[in-house]
Amino acid sequence: MPQPKPKQPIVIAIDGTSASGKSTNSKLVAKALGFVHVDTGAMYRTLAWYCLEHKIDAHNPKAVAAACRRWKTMLKCSEHHAYLTVDGYYPEKEIRTAEVSAAVPHVAAVPKVRDWMKKTQRDCIKFGSLVMEGRDIGTNVFPETDFKYFLDAQLEERSRRREAEGVQENLAARDMRDSQRAAAPLMIALGAKVINNSHMTSEQTSGTILADIRNRLNERKARA
Ligand code: DC
């Protein structure tokens, strides 16, 4: 059952390692609450795809930053899902290829890109309350939110999940690059509830998050 709409929009930040179930669980939580779902990884992937399409070297931070200044994007929201279009096009399928997965951590390490993404992602609040998934939502994009979750699972389990999706990927290498970059690295936000879901179903993971959100909302109500 969707909750009654909060007076002020609220943000649920769901961060975590690759293939830790962020997307599935963020969508389930957003649906249960009637909030807008935002996949910030998809925005970084869109820039990586744009660079590949325009023969811009993803390993050249200056060229990537220049592309990010120039590209023509729009933030859209339909059916409780916020996303970015480039030149009026949403490359929904194209951003999931192995080439884009390989290029995206390099693009995501560029400080100017992260500044642009943070501003754009914060703008999503115009669509209402959000469930936003990524790597730095609780630490950097919406550090002021009280609703922070960090998902993780054993590497073998995460690799198995990716393989089941038909994707062969070195998750350990990508997590390492995401955690070791200087700008807004992947880390657990202060006050985040950490959920290791190696042995949990998505119903159990999203149920744990929803129960915690409802507790916090009730505590808020009691304090008001
Ligand atoms: O969640 P994903 O695999 O679609 O993310 C794609 C890449 O973008 C991944 O390498 C981490 C990076 N990313 C990030 O640095 N910050 C975010 N908020 C979201 C994703």
Side-chain angles (χ1 to χ4, degrees):
M1 272 283 271
Q3 297 266 122
K5 290 267 176 287
K7 287 197 193 79
Q8 292 286 333
I10 64 173
V11 177
I12 313 296
I14 303 188
D15 291 305
T17 48
S18 304
S20 60
K22 294 186 299 297
S23 281
T24 305
N25 290 295
S26 303
K27 285 177 193 153
L28 287 171
V29 170
K31 189 159 188 227
L33 297 172
F35 289 6
V36 171
H37 168 250
V38 192
D39 176 358
T40 61
M43 296 183 181
Y44 286 96
R45 285 174 177 273
T46 300
L47 180 58
W49 169 78
Y50 179 88
C51 288
L52 291 171
E53 283 289 292
H54 291 82
K55 310 270 181 282
I56 295 160
D57 181 5
H59 293 80
N60 179 340
K62 276 202 176 132
V64 172
C68 190
R69 268 199 310 278
R70 273 199 315 265
W71 67 339
K72 300 274 177 290
T73 61
M74 273 178 78
L75 208 46
K76 302 250 180 177
C77 184
S78 76
E79 294 172 3
H80 283 78
H81 175 67
Y83 57 95
L84 211 54
T85 61
V86 197
D87 298 324
Y89 179 64
Y90 175 37
E92 188 176 8
K93 295 239 162 32
E94 294 87 333
I95 61 175
R96 302 290 161 192
T97 63
E99 289 73 24
V100 169
S101 292
V104 67
H106 303 286
V107 165
V110 178
K112 285 265 179 334
V113 167
R114 299 210 73 88
D115 292 345
W116 188 94
M117 290 286 173
K118 177 175 176 175
K119 187 181 169 305
T120 304
Q121 290 159 12
R122 284 188 70 90
D123 279 352
C124 290
I125 202 77
K126 67 185 177 194
F127 300 130
S129 291
L130 308 173
V131 178
M132 185 171 277
E133 56 162 302
R135 302 293 194 290
D136 65 337
I137 311 308
T139 52
N140 183 48
V141 180
F142 282 104
E144 69 273 31
T145 185
D146 289 334
F147 303 90
K148 299 180 186 183
Y149 301 90
F150 189 95
L151 302 189
D152 200 4
Q154 285 156 5
L155 181 60
E156 301 74 51
E157 171 59 18
R158 294 190 288 116
S159 302
R160 197 191 57 72
R161 289 175 189 170
R162 271 289 190 268
E163 273 171 39
E165 290 166 2
V167 182
Q168 291 277 352
E169 206 190 330
N170 187 339
L171 294 180
R174 189 140 73 92
D175 287 341
M176 182 84 85
R177 269 198 295 274
D178 288 335
S179 307
Q180 290 185 341
R181 66 172 174 241
L186 169 67
M187 60 183 188
I188 301 172
L190 206 65
K193 185 176 174 65
V194 179
I195 302 170
N196 185 314
N197 59 25
S198 301
H199 305 293
M200 288 164 80
T201 63
S202 44
E203 284 70 27
Q204 289 169 326
T205 304
S206 60
T208 304
I209 297 172
L210 282 165
D212 189 77
I213 293 170
R214 290 186 172 124
N215 277 342
R216 286 171 198 249
L217 285 173
N218 286 336
E219 278 169 19
R220 248 190 201 190
K221 219 187 277 166
R223 277 200 308 272

